[in-house]
Amino acid sequence: MGFRTIRGTRDILPDESYEWEFVENQIRAWFRRFNYREIQTPAFEETTLFARGIGQLTDIVSKEMYTFEDRGGTSLTLKPEMTASVIRAFIQHHLGSSAPLTKLFYISPMFRQERPQAGRLRQFHQFGAEALGSAHPEIDAEVILLATSIYASFGLEKTVLKLTSVGCEKCRPGYKKILQEALRSVVDRLTADSQRRVDENPMRVLDSKEPQDRAATANVPLVKDHLCPECSDHFRELQSLLTKTGVAFEIDGRLVRGLDYYTKTAFELVSGDLGSQDALAGGGRYDLLAQELGGSPAPGIGFAAGIERLLVVLEKRSLFRGEAPHATVFVATLNGEAREDAFRLLQELRQSGISAEMDFHRRSLKAQMREAGRQRADAVVLLGGDEWKTGLVALRDMRNGEQRQIPKEELADSLLRMIG
Ligand code: AMP
Protein backbone atom coordinates (compact mmCIF):
# COMPACT_ATOMS: atom_id res chain seq x y z
CA MET A 1 0.00 0.00 0.00
CA GLY A 2 1.34 3.47 0.85
CA PHE A 3 0.89 6.72 -1.06
CA ARG A 4 1.87 7.03 -4.68
CA THR A 5 1.90 9.77 -7.31
CA ILE A 6 -1.44 10.41 -9.00
CA ARG A 7 -1.83 8.81 -12.43
CA GLY A 8 -0.31 10.99 -15.11
CA THR A 9 1.97 12.86 -12.70
CA ARG A 10 5.65 12.23 -12.02
CA ASP A 11 8.32 12.93 -9.46
CA ILE A 12 11.49 14.45 -10.81
CA LEU A 13 14.15 12.62 -8.82
CA PRO A 14 17.67 13.92 -8.10
CA ASP A 15 19.20 11.71 -10.81
CA GLU A 16 17.14 13.46 -13.47
CA SER A 17 16.75 16.89 -11.91
CA TYR A 18 20.20 17.93 -13.14
CA GLU A 19 19.00 17.17 -16.66
CA TRP A 20 16.09 19.52 -16.06
CA GLU A 21 18.45 22.17 -14.73
CA PHE A 22 20.72 21.79 -17.75
CA VAL A 23 17.80 22.02 -20.18
CA GLU A 24 16.14 24.95 -18.39
CA ASN A 25 19.39 26.92 -18.17
CA GLN A 26 20.01 26.56 -21.87
CA ILE A 27 16.40 27.51 -22.70
CA ARG A 28 16.61 30.60 -20.47
CA ALA A 29 19.86 31.65 -22.13
CA TRP A 30 18.13 31.59 -25.52
CA PHE A 31 15.15 33.60 -24.27
CA ARG A 32 17.57 36.22 -22.92
CA ARG A 33 19.49 36.31 -26.20
CA PHE A 34 16.26 37.07 -28.03
CA ASN A 35 15.45 39.69 -25.36
CA TYR A 36 12.35 38.00 -23.91
CA ARG A 37 11.59 38.63 -20.23
CA GLU A 38 10.25 36.07 -17.83
CA ILE A 39 6.69 36.06 -16.55
CA GLN A 40 5.22 33.77 -13.90
CA THR A 41 1.50 33.44 -13.28
CA PRO A 42 -0.49 31.57 -10.61
CA ALA A 43 -1.21 27.85 -10.94
CA PHE A 44 -4.95 28.53 -11.06
CA GLU A 45 -7.22 31.16 -12.57
CA GLU A 46 -10.91 31.81 -13.00
CA THR A 47 -12.36 29.05 -15.16
CA THR A 48 -13.95 31.55 -17.57
CA LEU A 49 -10.52 32.93 -18.50
CA PHE A 50 -9.59 29.61 -20.11
CA ALA A 51 -13.07 28.88 -21.43
CA ARG A 52 -13.00 32.20 -23.28
CA GLY A 53 -9.31 32.33 -24.09
CA ILE A 54 -8.93 28.80 -25.40
CA GLY A 55 -12.43 28.21 -26.73
CA GLN A 56 -15.39 26.12 -25.57
CA LEU A 57 -15.12 23.76 -28.53
CA THR A 58 -11.52 22.74 -27.93
CA ASP A 59 -10.57 19.40 -26.38
CA ILE A 60 -8.78 21.25 -23.60
CA VAL A 61 -11.83 23.18 -22.43
CA SER A 62 -14.50 20.60 -23.22
CA LYS A 63 -12.85 17.63 -21.54
CA GLU A 64 -9.38 18.16 -20.11
CA MET A 65 -9.45 20.95 -17.54
CA TYR A 66 -8.92 20.43 -13.82
CA THR A 67 -11.81 22.57 -12.65
CA PHE A 68 -13.02 22.86 -9.09
CA GLU A 69 -15.11 25.11 -6.93
CA ASP A 70 -13.32 26.75 -4.03
CA ARG A 71 -14.97 27.19 -0.63
CA GLY A 72 -16.39 30.52 -1.73
CA GLY A 73 -18.16 28.91 -4.68
CA THR A 74 -15.86 30.39 -7.36
CA SER A 75 -15.07 28.10 -10.26
CA LEU A 76 -11.28 27.82 -10.62
CA THR A 77 -9.11 25.89 -13.07
CA LEU A 78 -5.49 24.73 -12.93
CA LYS A 79 -3.78 26.30 -15.95
CA PRO A 80 -3.85 23.95 -18.94
CA GLU A 81 -1.68 26.32 -21.02
CA MET A 82 -0.13 29.75 -20.58
CA THR A 83 -1.28 32.04 -23.35
CA ALA A 84 -4.59 33.00 -21.74
CA SER A 85 -2.86 33.68 -18.41
CA VAL A 86 -0.11 35.74 -20.04
CA ILE A 87 -2.65 37.87 -21.91
CA ARG A 88 -4.66 38.28 -18.71
CA ALA A 89 -1.52 39.57 -16.98
CA PHE A 90 -0.64 41.75 -19.98
CA ILE A 91 -4.06 43.43 -19.76
CA GLN A 92 -4.26 43.57 -15.97
CA HIS A 93 -0.84 45.22 -15.54
CA HIS A 94 -1.01 47.41 -18.68
CA LEU A 95 2.23 45.88 -19.93
CA GLY A 96 1.51 47.17 -23.42
CA SER A 97 1.44 50.82 -22.36
CA SER A 98 5.16 51.14 -21.66
CA ALA A 99 6.55 49.61 -24.86
CA PRO A 100 5.36 49.05 -28.43
CA LEU A 101 6.30 45.38 -28.21
CA THR A 102 6.12 43.17 -25.12
CA LYS A 103 8.21 40.00 -25.33
CA LEU A 104 7.61 37.48 -22.56
CA PHE A 105 8.71 33.94 -21.81
CA TYR A 106 7.73 31.34 -19.22
CA ILE A 107 8.71 27.93 -17.89
CA SER A 108 5.88 26.39 -15.92
CA PRO A 109 3.88 23.26 -15.05
CA MET A 110 0.55 22.77 -16.85
CA PHE A 111 -2.39 20.56 -15.96
CA ARG A 112 -4.68 18.63 -18.29
CA GLN A 113 -6.81 15.61 -17.49
CA GLU A 114 -5.88 13.67 -20.61
CA ARG A 115 -5.98 9.94 -21.05
CA PRO A 116 -2.54 8.93 -19.77
CA GLN A 117 -0.38 7.39 -22.50
CA ALA A 118 3.21 7.64 -23.68
CA GLY A 119 4.03 11.32 -24.11
CA ARG A 120 0.88 12.54 -22.37
CA LEU A 121 0.99 13.53 -18.74
CA ARG A 122 -1.59 15.21 -16.55
CA GLN A 123 0.96 17.52 -15.01
CA PHE A 124 3.63 18.39 -17.55
CA HIS A 125 5.93 21.34 -18.13
CA GLN A 126 6.10 23.84 -20.91
CA PHE A 127 8.48 26.58 -21.91
CA GLY A 128 7.18 29.17 -24.28
CA ALA A 129 7.14 32.75 -25.45
CA GLU A 130 4.53 35.36 -26.28
CA ALA A 131 5.24 38.56 -28.23
CA LEU A 132 2.47 41.16 -28.03
CA GLY A 133 2.08 44.39 -29.97
CA SER A 134 3.15 43.76 -33.56
CA ALA A 135 1.04 42.43 -36.42
CA HIS A 136 4.00 42.15 -38.81
CA PRO A 137 5.52 38.88 -40.04
CA GLU A 138 9.01 39.79 -38.72
CA ILE A 139 7.86 38.95 -35.22
CA ASP A 140 6.26 35.67 -36.40
CA ALA A 141 9.62 34.79 -37.90
CA GLU A 142 11.44 35.75 -34.71
CA VAL A 143 9.20 33.57 -32.53
CA ILE A 144 9.68 30.61 -34.89
CA LEU A 145 13.45 31.20 -34.98
CA LEU A 146 13.52 31.35 -31.21
CA ALA A 147 11.89 27.91 -31.01
CA THR A 148 14.03 26.34 -33.74
CA SER A 149 17.23 27.85 -32.30
CA ILE A 150 16.52 26.25 -28.94
CA TYR A 151 16.05 22.78 -30.45
CA ALA A 152 19.07 23.17 -32.73
CA SER A 153 21.22 24.17 -29.75
CA PHE A 154 20.42 20.82 -28.13
CA GLY A 155 21.61 19.04 -31.25
CA LEU A 156 18.12 18.54 -32.72
CA GLU A 157 18.69 20.22 -36.08
CA LYS A 158 16.48 17.69 -37.83
CA THR A 159 13.29 18.75 -36.06
CA VAL A 160 10.65 19.34 -38.72
CA LEU A 161 8.92 22.73 -38.82
CA LYS A 162 5.38 22.53 -40.16
CA LEU A 163 3.86 25.82 -41.15
CA THR A 164 0.58 27.17 -42.42
CA SER A 165 -1.80 30.09 -42.25
CA VAL A 166 -5.26 29.54 -40.80
CA GLY A 167 -6.61 32.85 -42.09
CA CYS A 168 -8.41 35.54 -40.14
CA GLU A 169 -11.92 36.67 -39.25
CA LYS A 170 -12.29 38.02 -42.78
CA CYS A 171 -11.37 34.95 -44.81
CA ARG A 172 -12.06 32.05 -42.46
CA PRO A 173 -15.87 32.19 -42.26
CA GLY A 174 -16.14 31.91 -46.06
CA TYR A 175 -13.64 29.07 -46.11
CA LYS A 176 -15.44 27.23 -43.31
CA LYS A 177 -18.60 27.11 -45.41
CA ILE A 178 -16.68 25.73 -48.39
CA LEU A 179 -15.03 23.15 -46.13
CA GLN A 180 -18.32 22.14 -44.50
CA GLU A 181 -19.88 21.54 -47.89
CA ALA A 182 -16.93 19.39 -48.94
CA LEU A 183 -17.04 17.46 -45.66
CA ARG A 184 -20.80 16.85 -45.91
CA SER A 185 -20.24 15.14 -49.23
CA VAL A 186 -17.91 12.60 -47.56
CA VAL A 187 -19.52 12.53 -44.12
CA ASP A 188 -20.40 8.78 -44.20
CA ARG A 189 -16.74 7.95 -44.60
CA LEU A 190 -15.62 9.93 -41.53
CA THR A 191 -15.11 8.56 -38.01
CA ALA A 192 -17.85 9.35 -35.48
CA ASP A 193 -15.68 11.98 -33.79
CA SER A 194 -15.08 13.78 -37.05
CA GLN A 195 -18.75 13.53 -38.09
CA ARG A 196 -19.61 15.44 -34.93
CA ARG A 197 -17.09 18.14 -35.77
CA VAL A 198 -18.38 18.83 -39.27
CA ASP A 199 -21.01 21.20 -37.90
CA GLU A 200 -19.39 22.63 -34.81
CA ASN A 201 -15.65 22.81 -35.62
CA PRO A 202 -15.03 21.62 -39.20
CA MET A 203 -11.35 22.61 -39.37
CA ARG A 204 -10.55 20.14 -36.61
CA VAL A 205 -11.58 17.31 -38.94
CA LEU A 206 -8.49 18.10 -40.99
CA ASP A 207 -5.99 17.39 -38.24
CA SER A 208 -7.52 14.04 -37.27
CA LYS A 209 -4.79 11.40 -37.20
CA GLU A 210 -7.26 8.59 -38.08
CA PRO A 211 -6.36 6.98 -41.45
CA GLN A 212 -10.10 6.74 -42.23
CA ASP A 213 -10.51 10.54 -41.86
CA ARG A 214 -7.28 11.18 -43.75
CA ALA A 215 -8.47 9.12 -46.70
CA ALA A 216 -11.95 10.68 -46.74
CA THR A 217 -10.60 14.24 -46.65
CA ALA A 218 -7.65 13.77 -49.00
CA ASN A 219 -9.07 16.21 -51.54
CA VAL A 220 -11.00 18.76 -49.47
CA PRO A 221 -10.02 22.43 -49.87
CA LEU A 222 -7.47 23.82 -47.39
CA VAL A 223 -7.61 27.24 -45.76
CA LYS A 224 -4.13 28.21 -46.96
CA ASP A 225 -5.56 28.22 -50.49
CA HIS A 226 -8.50 30.48 -49.48
CA LEU A 227 -6.73 33.35 -47.72
CA CYS A 228 -7.69 37.00 -48.09
CA PRO A 229 -5.00 39.26 -49.65
CA GLU A 230 -3.81 40.48 -46.23
CA CYS A 231 -3.34 36.96 -44.83
CA SER A 232 -1.83 35.81 -48.07
CA ASP A 233 0.78 38.63 -48.05
CA HIS A 234 1.57 37.96 -44.42
CA PHE A 235 2.12 34.26 -45.09
CA ARG A 236 4.30 34.94 -48.13
CA GLU A 237 6.45 37.48 -46.28
CA LEU A 238 6.90 35.11 -43.34
CA GLN A 239 8.08 32.33 -45.65
CA SER A 240 10.53 34.68 -47.29
CA LEU A 241 11.99 35.75 -43.92
CA LEU A 242 12.39 32.13 -42.85
CA THR A 243 14.04 31.20 -46.12
CA LYS A 244 16.42 34.18 -45.82
CA THR A 245 17.50 33.07 -42.33
CA GLY A 246 18.01 29.49 -43.45
CA VAL A 247 15.07 27.91 -41.63
CA ALA A 248 13.69 24.88 -43.46
CA PHE A 249 9.91 24.36 -43.25
CA GLU A 250 7.16 22.26 -44.72
CA ILE A 251 3.85 23.84 -45.61
CA ASP A 252 1.17 21.70 -43.99
CA GLY A 253 -2.29 22.91 -44.90
CA ARG A 254 -3.87 20.41 -42.53
CA LEU A 255 -2.23 21.91 -39.50
CA VAL A 256 -5.06 23.42 -37.50
CA ARG A 257 -3.77 23.42 -33.92
CA GLY A 258 -6.25 22.74 -31.16
CA LEU A 259 -6.94 26.25 -29.98
CA ASP A 260 -9.73 28.39 -31.39
CA TYR A 261 -8.00 31.71 -31.17
CA TYR A 262 -5.31 31.32 -33.82
CA THR A 263 -5.25 33.75 -36.74
CA LYS A 264 -2.88 33.71 -39.71
CA THR A 265 0.35 31.89 -38.74
CA ALA A 266 0.19 28.43 -37.16
CA PHE A 267 3.17 26.12 -36.77
CA GLU A 268 4.35 22.96 -35.13
CA LEU A 269 7.73 21.39 -34.50
CA VAL A 270 7.66 17.61 -34.72
CA SER A 271 10.20 14.91 -34.08
CA GLY A 272 10.41 11.45 -35.59
CA ASP A 273 11.61 10.12 -32.22
CA LEU A 274 8.31 10.55 -30.40
CA GLY A 275 5.84 8.05 -31.83
CA SER A 276 2.22 9.10 -32.16
CA GLN A 277 2.52 12.12 -29.84
CA ASP A 278 5.18 13.61 -32.10
CA ALA A 279 4.69 17.34 -31.43
CA LEU A 280 7.56 18.97 -29.56
CA ALA A 281 6.13 22.46 -29.76
CA GLY A 282 3.33 24.42 -31.34
CA GLY A 283 2.38 28.00 -31.74
CA GLY A 284 0.69 30.65 -33.75
CA ARG A 285 -0.69 34.13 -34.07
CA TYR A 286 -3.69 35.28 -32.04
CA ASP A 287 -4.58 38.82 -33.07
CA LEU A 288 -8.05 38.84 -31.50
CA LEU A 289 -7.33 37.22 -28.17
CA ALA A 290 -6.53 40.34 -26.13
CA GLN A 291 -9.88 41.85 -27.12
CA GLU A 292 -11.65 38.58 -26.47
CA LEU A 293 -10.29 38.72 -22.92
CA GLY A 294 -11.47 42.30 -22.35
CA GLY A 295 -8.35 44.27 -23.27
CA SER A 296 -7.52 46.75 -26.01
CA PRO A 297 -6.61 45.21 -29.34
CA ALA A 298 -3.08 43.78 -29.25
CA PRO A 299 -1.87 41.44 -31.97
CA GLY A 300 0.29 38.63 -30.67
CA ILE A 301 2.16 35.46 -31.52
CA GLY A 302 3.69 32.76 -29.37
CA PHE A 303 4.66 29.15 -28.97
CA ALA A 304 4.56 26.51 -26.25
CA ALA A 305 6.87 23.52 -25.99
CA GLY A 306 6.84 20.42 -23.83
CA ILE A 307 9.90 19.89 -21.63
CA GLU A 308 9.21 16.18 -20.98
CA ARG A 309 9.07 15.49 -24.71
CA LEU A 310 12.31 17.39 -25.28
CA LEU A 311 13.94 15.26 -22.56
CA VAL A 312 12.65 12.05 -24.17
CA VAL A 313 14.23 12.98 -27.49
CA LEU A 314 17.52 14.08 -25.90
CA GLU A 315 17.64 10.80 -23.98
CA LYS A 316 16.90 8.73 -27.08
CA ARG A 317 19.64 10.39 -29.06
CA SER A 318 22.09 10.46 -26.12
CA LEU A 319 22.41 14.22 -26.44
CA PHE A 320 22.83 15.15 -22.80
CA ARG A 321 25.95 17.16 -22.24
CA GLY A 322 25.34 17.92 -18.59
CA GLU A 323 27.02 16.07 -15.75
CA ALA A 324 25.35 14.98 -12.51
CA PRO A 325 26.50 17.38 -9.81
CA HIS A 326 28.43 16.06 -6.82
CA ALA A 327 30.29 17.53 -3.84
CA THR A 328 33.82 18.36 -5.00
CA VAL A 329 35.55 18.12 -1.62
CA PHE A 330 35.10 15.60 1.15
CA VAL A 331 36.36 16.52 4.60
CA ALA A 332 37.52 13.37 6.43
CA THR A 333 38.77 12.96 9.98
CA LEU A 334 41.38 10.56 11.41
CA ASN A 335 39.83 10.60 14.87
CA GLY A 336 37.10 12.07 17.06
CA GLU A 337 39.25 15.04 18.17
CA ALA A 338 39.28 16.42 14.65
CA ARG A 339 35.51 16.27 14.22
CA GLU A 340 34.64 19.79 15.38
CA ASP A 341 37.46 21.31 13.33
CA ALA A 342 36.22 19.34 10.33
CA PHE A 343 32.73 20.72 10.82
CA ARG A 344 34.08 24.27 10.96
CA LEU A 345 36.29 23.72 7.91
CA LEU A 346 33.28 22.38 6.01
CA GLN A 347 31.46 25.64 6.58
CA GLU A 348 34.55 27.71 5.63
CA LEU A 349 34.95 25.81 2.36
CA ARG A 350 31.29 26.27 1.48
CA GLN A 351 31.59 29.96 2.23
CA SER A 352 34.55 30.20 -0.17
CA GLY A 353 32.29 28.86 -2.90
CA ILE A 354 33.40 25.22 -2.79
CA SER A 355 30.86 22.42 -2.65
CA ALA A 356 31.92 20.29 0.29
CA GLU A 357 30.67 17.29 2.25
CA MET A 358 31.64 15.24 5.31
CA ASP A 359 30.58 12.04 7.04
CA PHE A 360 27.59 12.40 9.35
CA HIS A 361 27.80 8.90 10.80
CA ARG A 362 31.03 9.21 12.83
CA ARG A 363 32.51 6.36 10.83
CA SER A 364 36.11 5.11 10.54
CA LEU A 365 38.59 6.78 8.18
CA LYS A 366 38.35 3.80 5.85
CA ALA A 367 34.57 4.12 5.67
CA GLN A 368 34.87 7.87 5.12
CA MET A 369 37.29 7.37 2.22
CA ARG A 370 34.93 4.82 0.70
CA GLU A 371 32.10 7.34 1.02
CA ALA A 372 34.22 10.06 -0.61
CA GLY A 373 34.81 7.66 -3.49
CA ARG A 374 31.14 6.75 -3.76
CA GLN A 375 30.28 10.43 -3.95
CA ARG A 376 32.96 10.94 -6.63
CA ALA A 377 34.64 13.74 -4.68
CA ASP A 378 37.54 15.33 -6.56
CA ALA A 379 39.51 15.88 -3.39
CA VAL A 380 39.64 14.83 0.25
CA VAL A 381 40.91 17.04 3.07
CA LEU A 382 42.20 14.92 5.95
CA LEU A 383 42.15 16.33 9.48
CA GLY A 384 44.10 14.61 12.28
CA GLY A 385 43.41 16.94 15.19
CA ASP A 386 46.87 18.59 15.40
CA GLU A 387 46.39 21.12 12.59
CA TRP A 388 46.21 23.92 15.13
CA LYS A 389 49.83 23.04 16.10
CA THR A 390 51.37 22.47 12.67
CA GLY A 391 49.11 24.77 10.66
CA LEU A 392 49.14 22.09 7.91
CA VAL A 393 46.35 19.95 6.48
CA ALA A 394 46.58 16.89 4.24
CA LEU A 395 44.99 17.28 0.81
CA ARG A 396 44.50 14.28 -1.44
CA ASP A 397 43.67 14.60 -5.11
CA MET A 398 41.23 11.73 -5.65
CA ARG A 399 41.78 11.69 -9.38
CA ASN A 400 45.45 10.67 -9.16
CA GLY A 401 45.80 9.67 -5.50
CA GLU A 402 48.52 12.27 -4.79
CA GLN A 403 48.61 13.59 -1.25
CA ARG A 404 50.46 16.60 0.18
CA GLN A 405 50.56 18.78 3.27
CA ILE A 406 49.59 22.40 2.74
CA PRO A 407 49.15 25.42 5.03
CA LYS A 408 45.55 25.64 6.16
CA GLU A 409 45.15 29.25 4.94
CA GLU A 410 46.01 28.16 1.40
CA LEU A 411 43.51 25.31 1.35
CA ALA A 412 40.63 27.09 -0.38
CA ASP A 413 42.92 28.54 -3.05
CA SER A 414 44.63 25.18 -3.65
CA LEU A 415 41.28 23.47 -3.96
CA LEU A 416 39.91 26.03 -6.36
CA ARG A 417 43.06 25.66 -8.48
CA MET A 418 42.87 21.89 -8.31
CA ILE A 419 39.24 21.59 -9.40
CA GLY A 420 39.53 24.42 -11.90
P1 AMP B 1 -0.26 22.52 -26.87
O1 AMP B 1 -0.41 23.60 -25.84
O2 AMP B 1 -1.30 21.45 -26.75
O3 AMP B 1 -0.05 23.02 -28.24
O4 AMP B 1 1.08 21.78 -26.49
C1 AMP B 1 2.34 22.32 -26.73
C2 AMP B 1 3.38 21.28 -26.38
O5 AMP B 1 3.26 20.92 -25.01
C3 AMP B 1 3.20 19.96 -27.12
O6 AMP B 1 3.82 20.01 -28.37
C4 AMP B 1 3.88 18.98 -26.19
O7 AMP B 1 5.27 19.01 -26.36
C5 AMP B 1 3.53 19.54 -24.84
N1 AMP B 1 2.35 18.86 -24.27
C6 AMP B 1 1.05 19.17 -24.46
N2 AMP B 1 0.24 18.35 -23.77
C7 AMP B 1 1.05 17.51 -23.09
C8 AMP B 1 0.81 16.44 -22.17
N3 AMP B 1 -0.40 16.09 -21.80
N4 AMP B 1 1.90 15.80 -21.67
C9 AMP B 1 3.15 16.15 -22.03
N5 AMP B 1 3.42 17.15 -22.88
C10 AMP B 1 2.39 17.84 -23.41
Side-chain angles (χ1 to χ4, degrees), residues 81 112 114 119-121 124 126 257 279-282 304-306 309:
E81 56 106 52
R112 294 182 198 172
E114 301 195 78
R120 276 198 192 282
L121 289 156
F124 58 99
Q126 286 185 337
R257 308 271 309 130
L280 280 170
R309 290 196 196 165

Side-chain angles (χ1 to χ4, degrees), residues 10 13 34 82 84 95 120 170 173 175 186 190 212 227 233 244 269 289 311 321 375 406:
R10 287 182 45 206
L13 299 174
F34 275 71
M82 269 296 268
L95 298 183
R120 276 198 192 282
K170 281 181 234 129
Y175 163 72
V186 296
L190 297 174
Q212 189 186 333
L227 300 175
D233 285 348
K244 282 233 166 70
L269 284 163
L289 185 57
L311 288 169
R321 273 162 293 169
Q375 296 201 19
I406 54 166

Side-chain angles (χ1 to χ4, degrees), residues 290-311:
Q291 272 164 289
E292 181 63 31
L293 295 178
S296 324
I301 173 146
F303 79 89
I307 297 186
E308 282 84 354
R309 290 196 196 165
L310 170 59
L311 288 169

Side-chain angles (χ1 to χ4, degrees), residues 98-132:
S98 51
L101 185 61
T102 307
K103 306 207 291 187
L104 304 167
F105 82 85
Y106 57 84
I107 300 180
S108 171
M110 305 294 160
F111 308 87
R112 294 182 198 172
Q113 191 157 8
E114 301 195 78
R115 196 161 48 83
Q117 53 171 296
R120 276 198 192 282
L121 289 156
R122 290 180 166 180
Q123 175 173 343
F124 58 99
H125 298 75
Q126 286 185 337
F127 62 92
E130 314 288 354
L132 288 140

Side-chain angles (χ1 to χ4, degrees), residues 331-369:
V331 181
T333 51
L334 285 166
N335 48 48
E337 286 87 79
R339 205 173 288 129
E340 282 192 6
D341 285 342
F343 192 74
R344 196 177 66 194
L345 176 62
L346 187 68
Q347 177 64 4
E348 283 168 11
L349 289 173
R350 289 170 174 170
Q351 269 168 334
S352 342
I354 297 168
S355 137
E357 185 57 287
M358 65 176 264
D359 175 52
F360 286 90
H361 290 84
R362 299 192 169 187
R363 286 181 288 191
S364 69
L365 180 63
K366 197 165 156 218
Q368 292 176 62
M369 293 308 288

Side-chain angles (χ1 to χ4, degrees), residues 6-150:
I6 303 291
R7 208 160 166 236
T9 69
R10 287 182 45 206
D11 296 314
I12 299 167
L13 299 174
D15 274 347
E16 39 185 349
S17 70
Y18 83 90
E19 299 175 345
W20 281 75
E21 193 180 325
F22 162 73
V23 162
E24 283 184 19
N25 286 344
Q26 192 156 316
I27 290 168
R28 256 171 228 279
W30 276 104
F31 282 135
R32 301 251 149 82
R33 240 177 262 181
F34 275 71
N35 198 27
Y36 283 64
R37 298 195 303 154
E38 182 160 12
I39 184 162
Q40 300 189 24
T41 65
F44 53 85
E45 304 256 7
E46 267 179 67
T47 300
T48 41
L49 170 67
F50 300 118
R52 249 211 261 160
I54 302 175
Q56 291 287 359
L57 295 179
T58 59
D59 285 350
I60 294 182
V61 173
S62 63
K63 48 189 188 206
E64 293 170 0
M65 295 208 299
Y66 277 105
T67 297
F68 59 98
E69 236 176 55
D70 72 2
R71 285 164 201 272
T74 309
S75 180
L76 302 174
T77 293
L78 298 181
K79 60 183 168 190
E81 56 106 52
M82 269 296 268
T83 306
S85 299
V86 172
I87 310 289
R88 195 262 313 130
F90 173 83
I91 297 167
Q92 180 178 342
H93 306 289
H94 311 288
L95 298 183
S97 63
S98 51
L101 185 61
T102 307
K103 306 207 291 187
L104 304 167
F105 82 85
Y106 57 84
I107 300 180
S108 171
M110 305 294 160
F111 308 87
R112 294 182 198 172
Q113 191 157 8
E114 301 195 78
R115 196 161 48 83
Q117 53 171 296
R120 276 198 192 282
L121 289 156
R122 290 180 166 180
Q123 175 173 343
F124 58 99
H125 298 75
Q126 286 185 337
F127 62 92
E130 314 288 354
L132 288 140
S134 170
H136 295 297
E138 287 79 6
I139 194 69
D140 303 45
E142 175 176 281
V143 165
I144 291 172
L145 268 165
L146 172 52
T148 56
S149 303
I150 290 174

